[in-house]
Amino acid sequence: MDERLSKVDPKLLDLLVCPLTKGRLSLNRETNELVSQGAHLAYPIRDGIPIMLVSEARKIED
């Protein structure tokens, strides 16, 4: 995995919430995504920038 993709400021991660549920997000380093368990969505991180758009999120199947 390209290291620059996974480098997101930890302080920023603490501030970000799911735009749909306003719930906490967890970082999945393997897929380089921020995961919202409540919304069952995974938001991509591109070039170190979290893409916090529901339209860009991947649906997580249970």
Side-chain angles (χ1 to χ4, degrees):
M1 177 190 313
D2 189 340
E3 282 194 29
R4 69 190 167 99
L5 292 177
S6 60
K7 297 226 179 189
V8 178
D9 185 344
K11 291 178 186 175
L12 176 63
L13 293 178
D14 286 342
L15 296 174
L16 289 175
V17 296
C18 174
L20 194 63
T21 66
K22 309 296 185 238
R24 288 194 64 147
L25 298 166
S26 59
L27 176 62
N28 183 330
R29 292 186 190 278
E30 286 183 23
T31 61
N32 205 42
E33 296 171 318
L34 292 174
V35 177
S36 170
Q37 296 295 333
H40 301 284
L41 294 173
Y43 298 94
I45 299 172
R46 297 184 189 131
D47 296 324
I49 300 169
I51 309 301
M52 303 306 298
L53 300 170
V54 174
S55 61
E56 292 288 319
R58 177 177 64 84
K59 183 93 171 131
I60 299 173
E61 302 297 328
D62 285 331

